[in-house]
PDB file of all heavy atoms in Angstrom:
ATOM      1  N   THR A  57      -5.563  13.630   8.848  1.00 94.00           N
ATOM      2  CA  THR A  57      -6.963  13.886   9.217  1.00 94.00           C
ATOM      3  C   THR A  57      -7.066  14.168  10.717  1.00 94.00           C
ATOM      4  O   THR A  57      -7.734  15.118  11.128  1.00 94.00           O
ATOM      5  CB  THR A  57      -7.847  12.677   8.824  1.00 94.00           C
ATOM      6  OG1 THR A  57      -7.651  12.395   7.429  1.00 94.00           O
ATOM      7  CG2 THR A  57      -9.295  12.945   9.082  1.00 94.00           C
ATOM      8  N   ALA A  58      -6.372  13.361  11.520  1.00 93.00           N
ATOM      9  CA  ALA A  58      -6.392  13.570  12.976  1.00 93.00           C
ATOM     10  C   ALA A  58      -5.777  14.901  13.349  1.00 93.00           C
ATOM     11  O   ALA A  58      -6.273  15.592  14.247  1.00 93.00           O
ATOM     12  CB  ALA A  58      -5.659  12.433  13.663  1.00 93.00           C
ATOM     13  N   LYS A  59      -4.722  15.290  12.661  1.00 94.00           N
ATOM     14  CA  LYS A  59      -4.047  16.573  12.925  1.00 94.00           C
ATOM     15  C   LYS A  59      -5.009  17.743  12.706  1.00 94.00           C
ATOM     16  O   LYS A  59      -4.879  18.791  13.334  1.00 94.00           O
ATOM     17  CB  LYS A  59      -2.837  16.711  12.009  1.00 94.00           C
ATOM     18  CG  LYS A  59      -1.999  17.936  12.208  1.00 94.00           C
ATOM     19  CD  LYS A  59      -0.814  17.911  11.268  1.00 94.00           C
ATOM     20  CE  LYS A  59       0.019  19.176  11.382  1.00 94.00           C
ATOM     21  NZ  LYS A  59       1.160  19.141  10.461  1.00 94.00           N
ATOM     22  N   ARG A  60      -5.974  17.569  11.825  1.00 93.00           N
ATOM     23  CA  ARG A  60      -6.971  18.612  11.540  1.00 93.00           C
ATOM     24  C   ARG A  60      -8.166  18.502  12.480  1.00 93.00           C
ATOM     25  O   ARG A  60      -9.207  19.108  12.252  1.00 93.00           O
ATOM     26  CB  ARG A  60      -7.395  18.540  10.075  1.00 93.00           C
ATOM     27  CG  ARG A  60      -6.277  19.078   9.159  1.00 93.00           C
ATOM     28  CD  ARG A  60      -6.401  18.573   7.733  1.00 93.00           C
ATOM     29  NE  ARG A  60      -5.386  19.129   6.876  1.00 93.00           N
ATOM     30  CZ  ARG A  60      -4.115  18.735   6.842  1.00 93.00           C
ATOM     31  NH1 ARG A  60      -3.684  17.798   7.649  1.00 93.00           N
ATOM     32  NH2 ARG A  60      -3.255  19.299   5.999  1.00 93.00           N
ATOM     33  N   GLY A  61      -8.034  17.670  13.532  1.00 91.00           N
ATOM     34  CA  GLY A  61      -9.068  17.585  14.567  1.00 91.00           C
ATOM     35  C   GLY A  61     -10.185  16.613  14.292  1.00 91.00           C
ATOM     36  O   GLY A  61     -11.235  16.690  14.937  1.00 91.00           O
ATOM     37  N   HIS A  62      -9.960  15.659  13.378  1.00 92.00           N
ATOM     38  CA  HIS A  62     -11.044  14.727  13.012  1.00 92.00           C
ATOM     39  C   HIS A  62     -10.520  13.293  13.057  1.00 92.00           C
ATOM     40  O   HIS A  62     -10.156  12.717  12.030  1.00 92.00           O
ATOM     41  CB  HIS A  62     -11.596  15.050  11.628  1.00 92.00           C
ATOM     42  CG  HIS A  62     -12.161  16.421  11.555  1.00 92.00           C
ATOM     43  ND1 HIS A  62     -13.369  16.758  12.098  1.00 92.00           N
ATOM     44  CD2 HIS A  62     -11.664  17.556  11.023  1.00 92.00           C
ATOM     45  CE1 HIS A  62     -13.606  18.033  11.903  1.00 92.00           C
ATOM     46  NE2 HIS A  62     -12.584  18.548  11.241  1.00 92.00           N
ATOM     47  N   ARG A  63     -10.490  12.714  14.243  1.00 91.00           N
ATOM     48  CA  ARG A  63     -10.120  11.310  14.370  1.00 91.00           C
ATOM     49  C   ARG A  63     -11.299  10.481  13.842  1.00 91.00           C
ATOM     50  O   ARG A  63     -12.408  10.577  14.354  1.00 91.00           O
ATOM     51  CB  ARG A  63      -9.842  10.968  15.836  1.00 91.00           C
ATOM     52  CG  ARG A  63      -9.539   9.539  16.095  1.00 91.00           C
ATOM     53  CD  ARG A  63      -8.044   9.342  16.197  1.00 91.00           C
ATOM     54  NE  ARG A  63      -7.768   7.989  16.685  1.00 91.00           N
ATOM     55  CZ  ARG A  63      -7.135   7.097  15.969  1.00 91.00           C
ATOM     56  NH1 ARG A  63      -6.673   7.410  14.782  1.00 91.00           N
ATOM     57  NH2 ARG A  63      -6.919   5.915  16.440  1.00 91.00           N
ATOM     58  N   LEU A  64     -11.061   9.710  12.793  1.00 92.00           N
ATOM     59  CA  LEU A  64     -12.133   8.946  12.168  1.00 92.00           C
ATOM     60  C   LEU A  64     -12.489   7.748  13.054  1.00 92.00           C
ATOM     61  O   LEU A  64     -11.609   7.107  13.635  1.00 92.00           O
ATOM     62  CB  LEU A  64     -11.700   8.490  10.786  1.00 92.00           C
ATOM     63  CG  LEU A  64     -11.266   9.630   9.841  1.00 92.00           C
ATOM     64  CD1 LEU A  64     -10.832   9.075   8.501  1.00 92.00           C
ATOM     65  CD2 LEU A  64     -12.379  10.645   9.668  1.00 92.00           C
ATOM     66  N   VAL A  65     -13.754   7.455  13.150  1.00 94.00           N
ATOM     67  CA  VAL A  65     -14.228   6.353  13.977  1.00 94.00           C
ATOM     68  C   VAL A  65     -13.707   5.029  13.421  1.00 94.00           C
ATOM     69  O   VAL A  65     -13.232   4.171  14.162  1.00 94.00           O
ATOM     70  CB  VAL A  65     -15.765   6.351  14.051  1.00 94.00           C
ATOM     71  CG1 VAL A  65     -16.275   5.150  14.828  1.00 94.00           C
ATOM     72  CG2 VAL A  65     -16.278   7.661  14.644  1.00 94.00           C
ATOM     73  N   ARG A  66     -13.792   4.859  12.105  1.00 96.00           N
ATOM     74  CA  ARG A  66     -13.247   3.680  11.429  1.00 96.00           C
ATOM     75  C   ARG A  66     -12.544   4.153  10.175  1.00 96.00           C
ATOM     76  O   ARG A  66     -13.059   4.980   9.437  1.00 96.00           O
ATOM     77  CB  ARG A  66     -14.384   2.707  11.054  1.00 96.00           C
ATOM     78  CG  ARG A  66     -13.861   1.432  10.381  1.00 96.00           C
ATOM     79  CD  ARG A  66     -14.987   0.452   9.961  1.00 96.00           C
ATOM     80  NE  ARG A  66     -15.865   1.001   8.937  1.00 96.00           N
ATOM     81  CZ  ARG A  66     -17.096   1.414   9.138  1.00 96.00           C
ATOM     82  NH1 ARG A  66     -17.658   1.359  10.332  1.00 96.00           N
ATOM     83  NH2 ARG A  66     -17.828   1.898   8.151  1.00 96.00           N
ATOM     84  N   LEU A  67     -11.374   3.584   9.931  1.00 95.00           N
ATOM     85  CA  LEU A  67     -10.620   3.913   8.734  1.00 95.00           C
ATOM     86  C   LEU A  67      -9.996   2.617   8.217  1.00 95.00           C
ATOM     87  O   LEU A  67      -9.126   2.029   8.863  1.00 95.00           O
ATOM     88  CB  LEU A  67      -9.520   4.946   9.020  1.00 95.00           C
ATOM     89  CG  LEU A  67      -8.595   5.306   7.859  1.00 95.00           C
ATOM     90  CD1 LEU A  67      -9.373   5.868   6.679  1.00 95.00           C
ATOM     91  CD2 LEU A  67      -7.540   6.291   8.329  1.00 95.00           C
ATOM     92  N   ALA A  68     -10.470   2.168   7.087  1.00 97.00           N
ATOM     93  CA  ALA A  68      -9.980   0.951   6.424  1.00 97.00           C
ATOM     94  C   ALA A  68     -10.110   1.128   4.937  1.00 97.00           C
ATOM     95  O   ALA A  68     -10.725   2.099   4.484  1.00 97.00           O
ATOM     96  CB  ALA A  68     -10.777  -0.266   6.909  1.00 97.00           C
ATOM     97  N   MET A  69      -9.546   0.221   4.196  1.00 97.00           N
ATOM     98  CA  MET A  69      -9.686   0.274   2.758  1.00 97.00           C
ATOM     99  C   MET A  69      -9.470  -1.109   2.175  1.00 97.00           C
ATOM    100  O   MET A  69      -8.870  -1.978   2.798  1.00 97.00           O
ATOM    101  CB  MET A  69      -8.688   1.256   2.133  1.00 97.00           C
ATOM    102  CG  MET A  69      -7.243   0.850   2.327  1.00 97.00           C
ATOM    103  SD  MET A  69      -6.043   1.875   1.446  1.00 97.00           S
ATOM    104  CE  MET A  69      -6.466   3.506   1.910  1.00 97.00           C
ATOM    105  N   THR A  70      -9.972  -1.265   0.961  1.00 98.00           N
ATOM    106  CA  THR A  70      -9.704  -2.436   0.164  1.00 98.00           C
ATOM    107  C   THR A  70      -8.981  -1.947  -1.073  1.00 98.00           C
ATOM    108  O   THR A  70      -9.353  -0.925  -1.652  1.00 98.00           O
ATOM    109  CB  THR A  70     -11.006  -3.150  -0.249  1.00 98.00           C
ATOM    110  OG1 THR A  70     -11.729  -3.494   0.932  1.00 98.00           O
ATOM    111  CG2 THR A  70     -10.726  -4.383  -1.072  1.00 98.00           C
TER     112      THR A  70
END
Side-chain angles (χ1 to χ4, degrees):
T57 305
K59 183 178 177 181
R60 286 158 178 77
H62 300 284
R63 177 99 169 116
L64 304 179
V65 176
R66 182 181 64 253
L67 176 59
M69 64 173 52
T70 302

